[in-house]
Amino acid sequence: MSPSTASSPPTSSAVEWEFSPATTRPLRLLVYVAVGLGVGPVCGLVVLVGATLVGGGGVGVALFVFVLALFVGFGVGSGRALFALGNAPPEVHETVRALSRGGVVASVLLGTGGGVVGLRWTDVGFELVVGGVVAGFVALVVGAGLQSEGVVDGDTGELTYAGHTVPLDAIRRVRTLRLGRFVVLVVDYHPGRVGASTPRVVVCSRAARDQISAGTRRETPASGADEQSGERAPRAVRAVAATFGLACLVVGPVLWILVPAEGRLIVGYLGVFGLLFGALFVRYAVVA
């Protein structure tokens, strides 16, 4: 054996990945889009209302500039205070430090300009403002969903993700969706091998996807072998969860039809919680 061979470090088959605004440019761009669409149209509405008041002689220019400065300062200051008092986790501070102040300001100014143009020169200005805020929230949710980190260790045959350690031989099937550098995996497990809270959707890198696929093929029991080393939740428990979940999903639309128009606001508010709890109970009934 040559000296170079003897001194070479052992190779590891572990694949790690981390997607966050601090490490991934597309996620930072999504944050800028979310800020511009979510905050910009609201600022545009404030600017337009103030300009209208100044043009009509209701307030002076100096007073409007002073109120606008207070509005901006209150927004920035309240955000910093919430981070400080709320003891935000380290990843939040990393995200804030990774964002460019110029990029944030530019995105807000672009959103503000779009809001002013939509309100001033179109007949659907209010709809544009509401749509911009909704689109900004959607961009924020998508960015949060794509943030992930984990490790696939081929030596131990385990996937560590979202606080869970999953044996690769518990995975029955993997379906893949490519989104640029992101790979979204929809994972099916062998019955009884994992808990109900184990993630069924994994966002990872292409290298991690290849490692998971290779480990799954290597670790999956042969055809005809006993694939269930664990037990599912009792059938009665799953039946109760499914019944309760379906009832939560149905009760909102039914009440929306039966309740008079003046009471639909409360029904809609409660219906959101019904959809949430219904989805959780149905999911438990399916995967437990």
Side-chain angles (χ1 to χ4, degrees), residues 151-177:
V151 180
V152 185
D153 195 331
D155 294 334
T156 61
E158 292 179 338
L159 163 66
T160 302
Y161 181 80
H164 294 265
T165 300
V166 182
L168 294 181
D169 61 359
I171 299 176
R172 181 170 60 91
R173 182 177 59 179
V174 175
R175 285 166 287 184
T176 303
L177 174 64

Side-chain angles (χ1 to χ4, degrees), residues 196-238:
S197 61
T198 304
R200 263 66 182 178
V201 178
V202 176
V203 179
C204 63
S205 63
R206 281 176 286 179
R209 183 273 316 272
D210 296 338
Q211 186 77 293
I212 292 174
S213 299
T216 301
R217 290 193 298 266
R218 183 172 59 250
E219 301 291 345
T220 298
S223 178
D226 184 10
E227 297 181 350
Q228 298 188 21
S229 62
E231 295 182 358
R232 302 196 64 179
R235 182 174 300 178
V237 174
R238 289 187 283 119

